[in-house]
Amino acid sequence: MSILDYFRSNKKAASASLAKDRLQIIVAHQRAERDAPDYFPQMKQEIIEVIRKYVHINEDQVNVQLDQDDNNLSVLELNVTLPDGK
């Protein structure tokens, strides 16, 4: 095993780990939307439009997630990456 093999193997592991993390995020996001109420996509879009009235953002800078538990308790989580201020 040469020293180059050592560095190559680390890059593959890091790349695989990063891909795994991204896939887990995508799956969690899809599961959350699958169990969401019918009005959720429209509500999410309207939230993004309201934020755009005040700050220029892209849709990928907004993460809206609805969590529901067994006790009929729903939590709406909103994460917005805001651009640097003036």
Side-chain angles (χ1 to χ4, degrees):
M1 175 187 237
S2 72
I3 192 162
L4 292 177
D5 291 336
Y6 174 76
F7 287 113
R8 287 182 189 147
S9 65
N10 282 344
K11 287 183 181 178
K12 289 180 182 176
S15 177
S17 177
L18 182 62
K20 181 181 175 183
D21 291 344
R22 288 180 179 169
L23 184 59
Q24 287 176 337
I25 291 170
I26 291 170
V27 169
H29 184 71
Q30 288 179 343
R31 283 184 183 160
E33 287 190 359
R34 183 180 54 203
D35 297 334
D38 294 339
Y39 61 83
F40 186 72
Q42 183 178 355
M43 183 178 75
K44 179 180 173 181
Q45 191 60 40
E46 289 179 5
I47 289 171
I48 292 171
E49 290 171 10
V50 168
I51 294 171
R52 283 183 177 158
K53 287 182 180 179
Y54 301 96
V55 180
H56 178 72
I57 57 168
N58 295 323
E59 270 193 46
D60 59 343
Q61 292 175 286
V62 179
N63 182 15
V64 182
Q65 186 171 350
L66 181 65
D67 293 327
Q68 297 176 333
D69 66 1
D70 296 334
N71 298 327
N72 276 344
L73 178 66
S74 298
V75 176
L76 181 65
E77 181 179 343
L78 176 68
N79 291 310
V80 181
T81 304
L82 296 173
D84 293 334
K86 292 181 182 178

